[in-house]
Amino acid sequence: MWFKNLQLHRLPAPWSVNPEQMQKWLAPHAFAPGNSVEMQSQGWASPRDDDSLVYTLNGQMLLVFRAEKKLLPASVVTQVTKARAADLEDQQGFKPGRKQMRELKEQVTDELLPRAFSIRRDTRVWIDTRHGWLVIDAASQAVADEVRALLVKSIDQLPLGTVRVAHAPVSAMTGWLLSGEGPAGFTLDQDTELRSPAEGNATVRYVGHTLDTDDMRRHIEAGKQCMRLAMTWNDRVSFVLTPSLTIKRVTPLDVLKEASDPTAQNDDERFDSDFTLMSAELDRMLADLLDALGGEQGSGQGAGSLATPQAATA
């Protein structure tokens, strides 16, 4: 249930949308498997494998973006196309020209598509209507872009904005490494990456290694800046912070795993319990993280702010 990555976006807080309205928006764009001639298809799927495209509990919503892509290796298409071209050359007495080769390749692709394997990818979206968060569980910016594009297509005038903070994550993370301490409520873990913005991009990475303050100071005085930093919030959630304010490798720690409702009787109750716990903890963690970055400076909300989200400074 826990999101592994947090691509952060802002909504009005509170956002007055109900499950019925959300279902109405998503339904015209529900996922349907691609037909025999479509390379890929995408749409909204049910989070609980029922008739609803939106799962809602206590003002928290969960959506699922589903993409299906057919696997048709270019090498296979090329191999079959060459064989067909050789047969055609024997028949007509000369090699096929560019136009004929293009038509042959299109014909081969159409013939092979129905036999191609399909893979599906589900990407979850968490909407906190109370505190104004829309979070996409995607490590890849390209995947997040696909999800945002369908959100905009599905929801007319979606008031989606960027997260703007007073202190850029790069300068904040560099300062924390220099002092050897995280901000209030956070501890520094043993993974980080420092990179020089100068030509050459000299980079130093620490993985599972003690971040010695003297070592960090030498790298920073040499002009390097922190580009990734592993942290833990209140001994409850570990994660990696990035310059764009995308949060990766989100992991609930043992104290939260033990907090799961032991009285849950079935899958539905466990799902409810896990979703409630995740949304509550991440809400608190994000609030503390924004404070650690100097506070939020305005959401940039509105349809015009739907460019790729960046951590902006005021």
Side-chain angles (χ1 to χ4, degrees):
M1 160 53 65
W2 276 77
F3 279 32
K4 293 180 174 60
N5 306 280
L6 309 178
Q7 298 258 3
L8 305 177
H9 309 78
R10 266 311 194 184
L11 291 167
W15 189 34
S16 56
V17 59
N18 57 50
E20 293 74 21
Q21 180 61 63
M22 184 64 73
Q23 176 75 19
K24 183 178 179 181
W25 283 332
L26 301 184
H29 306 280
F31 175 81
N35 59 38
S36 61
V37 295
E38 290 179 326
M39 282 294 294
Q40 57 186 8
S41 57
Q42 61 182 35
W44 300 111
S46 171
R48 298 296 292 140
D49 295 325
D50 53 24
D51 294 331
S52 178
L53 297 176
V54 53
Y55 168 84
T56 308
L57 185 66
N58 299 325
Q60 312 293 325
M61 294 184 177
L62 184 66
L63 315 180
V64 173
F65 170 90
R66 177 167 292 168
E68 181 183 78
K69 184 177 182 180
K70 292 191 175 180
L71 297 180
L72 185 57
S75 58
V76 174
V77 175
T78 299
Q79 181 180 349
V80 176
T81 300
K82 286 182 177 179
R84 297 280 179 86
D87 291 341
L88 186 59
E89 181 179 354
D90 290 340
Q91 295 172 14
Q92 63 188 20
F94 56 89
K95 291 185 176 180
R98 288 186 178 179
K99 182 180 179 181
Q100 281 185 303
M101 288 298 295
R102 184 168 59 252
E103 291 173 346
L104 271 179
K105 188 173 184 178
E106 291 173 354
Q107 180 183 350
V108 168
T109 300
D110 290 343
E111 290 177 6
L112 294 179
L113 263 179
R115 291 150 46 188
F117 289 104
S118 296
I119 57 171
R120 287 184 179 178
R121 181 192 72 237
D122 285 351
T123 304
R124 297 174 299 173
V125 179
W126 163 42
I127 298 175
D128 179 353
T129 63
R130 294 180 175 179
H131 300 100
W133 286 112
L134 186 148
V135 180
I136 300 172
D137 184 4
S140 162
Q141 192 62 57
V143 172
D145 288 344
E146 288 183 339
V147 177
R148 278 195 300 271
L150 189 59
L151 281 166
V152 172
K153 186 176 181 181
S154 303
I155 302 174
D156 187 37
Q157 297 184 341
L158 176 66
L160 196 63
T162 56
V163 181
R164 299 182 180 276
V165 289
H167 306 314
V170 168
S171 66
M173 291 189 293
T174 303
W176 298 334
L177 282 180
L178 195 57
S179 69
E181 293 184 359
F186 295 86
T187 54
L188 306 185
D189 295 339
Q190 295 186 325
D191 290 14
T192 191
E193 177 181 309
L194 297 107
R195 186 186 311 156
S196 172
E199 187 176 354
N201 290 325
T203 302
V204 175
R205 294 185 180 91
Y206 288 78
V207 179
H209 193 287
T210 300
L211 305 183
D212 180 77
T213 303
D214 289 339
D215 286 346
M216 298 301 106
R217 182 176 292 109
R218 281 194 294 271
H219 289 303
I220 293 168
E221 289 176 349
K224 295 184 179 68
Q225 298 176 319
C226 183
M227 306 305 290
R228 293 169 62 91
L229 181 60
M231 306 173 69
T232 292
W233 169 72
N234 282 340
D235 296 325
R236 301 172 77 82
V237 181
S238 67
F239 62 92
V240 172
L241 183 61
T242 71
S244 65
L245 204 50
T246 295
I247 300 172
K248 299 186 176 183
R249 285 170 37 191
V250 178
T251 306
L253 302 183
D254 289 343
V255 65
L256 286 183
K257 294 176 182 177
E258 294 169 0
S260 298
D261 186 359
T263 65
Q265 301 296 315
N266 53 50
D267 288 344
D268 288 339
E269 290 185 1
R270 280 190 290 272
F271 192 92
D272 290 350
S273 173
D274 290 346
F275 186 57
T276 299
L277 181 64
M278 182 196 79
S279 57
E281 293 295 327
L282 291 184
D283 258 332
R284 293 169 53 209
M285 186 189 84
L286 292 176
D288 286 353
L289 182 59
L290 292 185
D291 285 345
L293 293 170
E296 202 165 1
Q297 301 299 300
S299 61
Q301 291 165 356
S305 62
L306 267 174
T308 300
Q310 298 291 329
T313 55

